[in-house]
Amino acid sequence: MSTEFHAMSGEEALNALGSTERGLTSEEAAERLKRYGPNELSEGRAISPLLIFLDQFKDYMVIILIFAALISAGIGVWKDSAEEYLDAGIIMVIVLLNAVLGFVQNYRAEKTMQALRDMAAPRANVMRDGEEKSVPSRELVPGDVIVLSTGDRISADARLLEAANLKTNEASLTGESLPVSKNAVEVLPLDALLSDRDNMVFSGCTVDHGRGRAVVTSTGMLTQLGNIARMVQSEEESTPLQKKLDRLGKQLGAMVLGVCAFIFTVGYLRGVAAEEMFLTSVSLAVAAIPEGLPAVVTISLALGLQRMAKRKAVMRKLPAVESLGSATVICTDKTGTLTKGEMNIREIFMGETVNVSGEGFEPRGEFLVQGETIDMAKREDLAMLLVAGALCNDSSLYLEEGKWKVRGDPTEGALIVTARKAGIDEMELGENSPRVFEISFDSVKKRMTTVHAVDGRKMAFMKGAAESVVPLCTRRRVRERDLDLDKGTADSLMAKNNEMAGRALRVLAIAVRDVTDVPLEEAAVERDFTFLGLVGMIDAPRKEAVEAVRKCHTAGIRVIMITGDHELTARAIALEMGIAEPGRDKVVNGRVLETASDEELADILKDVNVFARVAPEHKVRIVYALQARGEIVAMTGDGVNDAPALKKADIGVAMGITGTDVSKEASQMVLMDDNFASIVNAVEEGRGVYDNIRKFVAFLLSCNSGEVIAMFAASLIFVDPEYIPFLLPVHLLWMNLVTDGLPALALGVEPIEPNIMERPPNDPKEPPVTRRSAVRVLSIGGVFAASALLAFWLVGALDLTGGDEVQHARTVAFCTMVFSQLFFAFSARSQRLTIGKLGWFTNRKMIFAVAVSALLQLAVVYLPGLSDAFRTAQLGWEEWALILPLSLIALVVNETWKVVARRSGKA
């Protein structure tokens, strides 16, 4: 498309793009999407199955093993020995099977991560078929008319058609740090610099202030952002746990290599062929070095993220999953998060109280005074208040699948709904009384003002907090008369405001002023208003949020409510939610935070859980103060000004429904239902993910240490070179496949333990393997080794051998080691709860994994071709009568460990 739209008027741009102010039809948009392609930068990395598969062979130990196998094959050819040749072939097959298993795990993890990225992808409000709709940004096409409001991320280059106090942040494109004012009317010279194109908005920038409409001129790589090939997505980063496990893997790797070198030296000195000991040592290193631990974390995180998404919490950054499990404080908004977000106006105070009936956003209800229905034709004062509320408003009401919904702020939506109940159509009203000037809502001033052309006059309408609006009023309307508003009356209005707020009502004051002869400037407009009334609305607490708060307290997580509402409203809701308790319900307002020093704020945070009339910048101070005390903080937010607090928090939580694009980009997690309970569910899943990773790691290290200890001990115990190596290279690699494969993966999908939210938060400084867990890992590893060595010895002691004595004993030890690890997998499902408390069938994937692995093990013992390849002997019932009891020892030891630890209070 042409890049000269800044030199055209809005109408010319629409004509050039074959569009209208009503936008495109769905059919036109679909056809253009095929023609121009999706609105995205081409640098996005596609998932390549081939690259993921080849990644499985990048590990240096696997490369060494492949070379060792090739050397073994070469020796086999040189010596004309089928045994070495067969060993090399089996090793290559096992390496290939491991690669396939790793590929399946990683490919599924990548697909899951991609699906979650798509869920968190930005959306755009666009005019389609003459109606405003929300569509994925990637579906924008040239000619689309987009609707812009404060906090939106601009997803394509566009020529402005309408701009009301519109300012955009173009720092990402031009480097300009200050917001840039926009103008839809001006036609610029053809050679205007990019930074001077005030009638254009650009992809990748954000709306800092105001609102507007624009026609899309360029998408994808044809935008200014595409021209400079700027990557809009951040690089993936390793999580803290992945980094810790990577370090742990390298430390353990060094230790294992030392043991392998010792085993090689001992075997060689005792007369075992160097090539056989080399292959054995390398195989043991590959089987025992936990080089895949960071990958394990990725897979577990991907599975956990999938579960979180099903519970309406979409994670944008992997490290935040670990932070969730460690969260000690959740700072939450009230409206729509703790409450339903469906504001219902219950009463209007205009000198007398007018009650309003109806539920939700359905525009049906009545206006009553003392139980009697009002005749709206006789109440011009009420009609004017409703008109003011509908015009000083950026929300809209629409019907979707038989249910009325609000697009925009639910508080503004309630005013629209109430106007509709009186027969006032806000769309028709807006067309007849177009907005000519506005002063957008400000979180500090807590009010909004718009000016409209009404019957040849200019009328200003204001709504906001009573303490912000009432001081700007000099008159008040009583029925059809306007009276002076003296201090006594103003005080009584504020007292009424407090009384309504004390009943958990959210209260807005509404006022009007004729500004026909007044300059349209903020200072000139916002004065001398006529007070119309107080509107009281209620947003009922979510029942599930009440339970979620209780669950937080049980889990050792403190809940702090931060709201812009009145102190009395905040206290009433906090008491109902269980965030505050009678007698311990102190509320601190924004004015106190404004003047409090850091030390004073730290003292306040010791026992205050409710903050009211808070501005977004206060949230940042609260986060800083909590983190200074060592807390791990989750903070919710939905507005542009919430972005700094969301970025500073350990877990920034944005609202998926009401949140701006800016707040979502600053966050680590997006709530798809704006529900506090979803945060707590995500914390539960975060703890579950971390728990499963630790189980996974403990299981792998226990199994690997058992193999290393067995091989090390055998090299010391057995003098006869015929017994060395204790287990053959193919045995070691096979164990790595059947026990570190399916059973370990089944641990990654272990259901969350029932008592996980009764434990204190995870300590983020705690290493992945603590001293206590290391003792347990080595102890279980020792049991594995002892069981296998005992089985080997008992075969000879009980004279169970037939044919090749060493091959027979080695097969029994091999099976004992494998089945010990498989049985132990059931106990490894929890480090605290016994199998009886967990239930045998609560993780059916584990039963399947163990069954398949057991069948594979039996196959290498009994199937003729495989038995020869793995050099195993046929076993009878006598051997299995020995193997099975010995294989259960590790499980019994671990279960006993849990019981003893629980009774001693160390579980």
Side-chain angles (χ1 to χ4, degrees):
M1 299 298 295
S2 169
T3 57
E4 302 168 357
F5 290 98
H6 61 279
M8 301 180 187
S9 67
E11 187 176 348
E12 288 172 337
L14 284 169
N15 292 334
L17 291 160
S19 185
T20 69
E21 290 201 3
R22 290 173 58 83
L24 302 173
T25 65
S26 297
E27 291 75 19
E28 286 174 327
E31 189 276 325
R32 294 190 186 197
L33 187 61
K34 289 180 184 177
R35 192 194 319 168
Y36 297 110
N39 177 35
E40 55 191 8
L41 296 184
S42 61
E43 289 91 344
R45 184 174 64 89
I47 298 172
S48 168
L50 179 61
L51 287 177
I52 294 173
F53 180 71
L54 293 177
D55 277 347
Q56 310 307 309
F57 299 95
K58 283 185 176 179
D59 184 78
Y60 69 97
M61 290 307 303
V62 173
I63 294 170
I64 291 173
L65 181 63
I66 292 172
F67 274 111
L70 293 174
I71 291 169
S72 179
I75 293 171
V77 173
W78 178 50
K79 289 184 175 180
D80 194 23
S81 169
E83 192 171 279
E84 278 86 356
Y85 199 76
L86 187 61
D87 274 356
I90 291 296
I91 288 169
M92 291 302 291
V93 168
I94 292 173
V95 168
L96 189 62
L97 287 172
N98 260 319
V100 170
L101 184 62
F103 164 77
V104 171
Q105 296 168 16
N106 284 284
Y107 184 70
R108 286 181 61 191
E110 282 282 347
K111 292 290 282 184
T112 299
M113 294 300 295
Q114 185 60 52
L116 292 171
R117 279 193 287 268
D118 291 343
M119 286 181 69
R123 299 181 70 84
N125 289 328
V126 60
M127 298 299 295
R128 290 272 173 89
D129 303 312
E131 296 180 358
E132 185 178 334
K133 296 179 180 179
S134 175
V135 301
S137 294
R138 70 187 303 275
E139 294 180 10
L140 287 181
V141 294
D144 263 328
V145 173
I146 54 176
V147 180
L148 303 172
S149 57
T150 303
D152 285 351
R153 180 186 179 88
I154 301 165
S155 302
D157 289 0
R159 172 56 164 95
L160 283 166
L161 304 174
E162 174 188 326
N165 293 336
L166 185 67
K167 294 181 180 180
T168 63
N169 187 325
E170 298 180 353
S172 61
L173 194 67
T174 65
E176 173 59 58
S177 59
L178 296 175
V180 179
S181 295
K182 293 295 178 178
N183 184 331
V185 177
E186 192 174 3
V187 176
L188 299 171
L190 198 61
D191 60 353
L193 296 174
L194 182 68
S195 57
D196 294 332
R197 296 178 188 178
D198 296 338
N199 57 8
M200 298 285 294
V201 290
F202 301 104
S203 178
C205 302
T206 56
V207 180
D208 187 79
H209 191 75
R211 59 182 180 83
R213 293 156 79 94
V215 60
V216 173
T217 58
S218 307
T219 59
M221 292 302 292
L222 296 178
T223 62
Q224 294 295 331
L225 190 64
N227 289 342
I228 61 173
R230 181 178 177 84
M231 293 293 291
V232 295
Q233 290 185 336
S234 60
E235 294 293 322
E236 286 190 18
E237 54 186 312
S238 295
T239 73
L241 183 58
Q242 282 176 318
K243 292 173 183 174
K244 288 178 188 175
L245 288 174
D246 189 38
R247 284 196 299 271
L248 176 65
K250 288 175 180 174
Q251 291 166 355
L252 292 175
M255 293 170 58
V256 170
L257 287 175
V259 173
C260 291
F262 176 81
I263 292 171
F264 173 85
T265 304
V266 170
Y268 180 73
L269 292 176
R270 289 182 179 170
V272 183
E275 63 269 18
E276 183 174 356
M277 287 311 303
F278 175 70
L279 200 55
T280 300
S281 300
V282 172
S283 299
L284 178 61
V286 170
I289 293 175
E291 72 286 337
L293 288 182
V296 164
V297 176
T298 302
I299 294 162
S300 297
L301 287 175
L303 293 170
L305 293 181
Q306 202 171 33
R307 292 196 300 268
M308 287 183 191
K310 289 178 181 177
R311 299 179 78 174
K312 306 296 183 183
V314 176
M315 302 304 300
R316 297 184 66 251
K317 297 176 183 176
L318 280 182
V321 181
E322 295 169 29
S323 300
L324 274 172
S326 304
T328 57
V329 177
I330 299 176
C331 297
T332 176
D333 290 322
K334 178 184 74 67
T335 304
T337 308
L338 291 169
T339 57
K340 292 180 180 178
E342 291 185 357
M343 287 288 186
N344 286 278
I345 292 179
R346 285 283 177 258
E347 60 184 67
I348 301 170
F349 180 75
M350 311 172 68
E352 63 180 349
T353 298
V354 178
N355 298 111
V356 185
S357 65
E359 290 295 332
F361 292 134
E362 187 170 357
R364 292 201 302 185
E366 295 181 320
F367 297 85
L368 309 105
V369 174
Q370 297 180 349
E372 295 293 325
T373 303
I374 289 177
D375 182 357
M376 289 298 298
K378 297 179 180 179
R379 291 298 301 265
E380 291 183 14
D381 56 341
L382 178 57
M384 176 56 75
L385 181 144
L386 297 176
V387 165
L391 286 175
C392 186
N393 203 308
D394 288 328
S395 292
S396 59
L397 188 66
Y398 65 100
L399 190 63
E400 183 177 273
E401 297 179 354
K403 185 176 180 180
W404 288 98
K405 295 183 178 180
V406 163
R407 183 179 288 112
D409 185 85
T411 301
E412 290 192 327
L415 293 167
I416 296 285
V417 171
T418 307
R420 287 272 192 105
K421 289 176 182 178
I424 299 169
D425 187 316
E426 79 284 356
M427 300 298 288
E428 184 181 331
L429 190 64
E431 290 176 6
N432 295 333
S433 306
R435 188 181 297 187
V436 295
F437 179 74
E438 70 178 68
I439 302 166
S440 300
F441 176 80
D442 185 292
S443 59
V444 176
K445 293 186 296 184
K446 293 184 169 56
R447 63 177 179 267
M448 172 183 178
T449 303
T450 60
V451 178
H452 299 258
V454 182
D455 297 330
R457 312 287 298 172
K458 290 179 185 175
M459 301 298 296
F461 302 102
M462 177 189 288
K463 74 172 190 299
E467 62 266 32
S468 176
V469 172
V470 173
L472 299 178
C473 296
T474 55
R475 298 178 71 76
R476 62 188 174 96
R477 184 158 298 177
V478 180
R479 293 294 178 115
E480 287 74 37
R481 295 182 303 154
D482 287 350
L483 306 176
D484 288 338
L485 179 61
D486 55 32
K487 186 179 183 305
T489 306
D491 290 343
S492 68
L493 290 175
M494 293 308 300
K496 181 61 180 178
N497 173 75
N498 293 345
E499 184 271 326
M500 292 170 72
R503 290 186 279 121
L505 291 174
R506 185 172 202 175
V507 186
L508 288 180
I510 296 180
V512 65
R513 183 191 178 194
D514 187 332
V515 291
T516 304
D517 301 321
V518 174
L520 294 184
E521 299 171 355
E522 183 173 338
V525 170
E526 287 195 326
R527 54 182 293 181
D528 299 330
F529 271 75
T530 298
F531 177 81
L532 294 177
L534 297 172
V535 176
M537 56 191 81
I538 193 161
D539 188 9
R542 297 178 186 261
K543 291 180 181 178
E544 64 272 25
V546 176
E547 172 60 23
V549 170
R550 186 201 62 77
K551 190 184 283 188
C552 281
H553 293 158
T554 304
I557 301 171
R558 180 181 175 191
V559 180
I560 295 176
M561 186 174 84
I562 302 175
T563 178
D565 274 350
H566 194 281
E567 293 97 313
L568 296 172
T569 308
R571 177 181 286 113
I573 293 291
L575 287 168
E576 190 170 352
M577 299 296 304
I579 295 172
E581 301 173 5
R584 297 184 62 188
D585 56 354
K586 184 178 178 182
V587 179
V588 170
N589 64 35
R591 290 188 300 276
V592 174
L593 293 177
E594 199 73 50
T595 58
S597 65
D598 290 344
E599 293 75 17
E600 289 169 335
L601 180 55
D603 286 337
I604 289 169
L605 282 166
K606 288 178 182 177
D607 57 2
V608 174
N609 290 331
V610 185
F611 294 86
R613 290 297 193 224
V614 171
E617 56 268 26
H618 298 149
K619 288 185 173 184
V620 180
R621 287 198 67 201
I622 290 172
V623 172
Y624 269 107
L626 288 168
Q627 289 175 333
R629 298 179 56 198
E631 306 284 5
I632 306 296
V633 184
M635 170 69 78
T636 69
D638 56 8
V640 176
N641 293 337
D642 288 329
L646 294 176
K647 277 189 174 181
K648 176 59 185 169
D650 299 281
I651 312 113
V653 184
M655 303 296 112
I657 299 173
T658 60
T660 59
D661 289 342
V662 173
S663 66
K664 291 174 187 175
E665 288 190 359
S667 69
Q668 290 84 43
M669 181 169 82
V670 178
L671 298 183
M672 304 311 290
D673 59 356
D674 291 10
N675 192 338
F676 178 80
S678 297
I679 305 175
V680 182
N681 290 339
V683 170
E684 186 174 23
E685 289 290 351
R687 289 189 179 190
V689 167
Y690 194 82
D691 213 30
N692 284 351
I693 288 172
R694 296 189 73 156
K695 294 172 191 174
F696 203 129
V697 170
F699 176 74
L700 287 180
L701 295 184
S702 297
C703 294
N704 293 358
S705 65
E707 295 157 19
V708 172
I709 293 169
M711 295 292 285
F712 180 77
S715 67
L716 296 176
I717 296 170
F718 300 130
V719 178
D720 190 338
E722 193 177 5
Y723 295 160
I724 301 175
F726 174 57
L727 293 173
L728 299 177
V730 289
H731 296 164
L732 294 167
L733 294 172
W734 181 253
M735 282 190 287
N736 191 45
L737 178 66
V738 296
T739 61
D740 289 8
L742 293 177
L745 275 180
L747 283 176
V749 294
E750 177 68 26
I752 295 172
E753 292 186 21
N755 66 343
I756 200 163
M757 290 299 279
E758 295 173 10
R759 305 179 202 163
N762 299 325
D763 182 355
K765 296 178 182 177
E766 189 176 71
V769 179
T770 62
R771 185 172 297 178
R772 183 182 296 172
S773 59
V775 170
R776 193 166 177 173
V777 162
L778 291 174
S779 299
I780 297 298
V783 172
F784 287 146
S787 299
L789 290 166
L790 183 59
F792 189 94
W793 177 76
L794 285 174
V795 169
L798 299 175
D799 195 23
L800 297 176
T801 58
D804 188 330
E805 179 184 344
V806 175
Q807 183 175 338
H808 206 86
R810 189 174 276 145
T811 303
V812 171
F814 176 36
C815 288
T816 301
M817 182 72 83
V818 169
F819 279 93
S820 290
Q821 293 179 5
L822 292 180
F823 291 151
F824 173 70
F826 287 107
S827 182
R829 289 175 54 205
S830 174
Q831 296 182 330
R832 295 174 175 82
L833 302 178
T834 60
I835 297 173
K837 289 187 179 294
L838 281 174
W840 284 94
F841 301 103
T842 49
N843 186 351
R844 295 182 185 275
K845 289 184 175 65
M846 178 62 78
I847 296 173
F848 173 78
V850 170
V852 170
S853 297
L855 288 173
L856 289 172
Q857 178 63 19
L858 294 175
V860 301
V861 173
Y862 290 108
L863 292 183
L866 289 175
S867 178
D868 294 338
F870 282 85
R871 285 185 262 170
T872 55
Q874 298 284 312
L875 302 180
W877 68 267
E878 298 97 337
E879 288 90 338
W880 286 108
L882 175 66
I883 292 168
L884 293 177
L886 288 174
S887 299
L888 289 168
I889 293 175
L891 181 148
V892 172
V893 168
N894 199 48
E895 291 296 286
T896 305
W897 194 303
K898 295 176 191 177
V899 173
V900 172
R902 189 169 63 249
R903 288 179 179 173
S904 63
K906 295 180 180 180

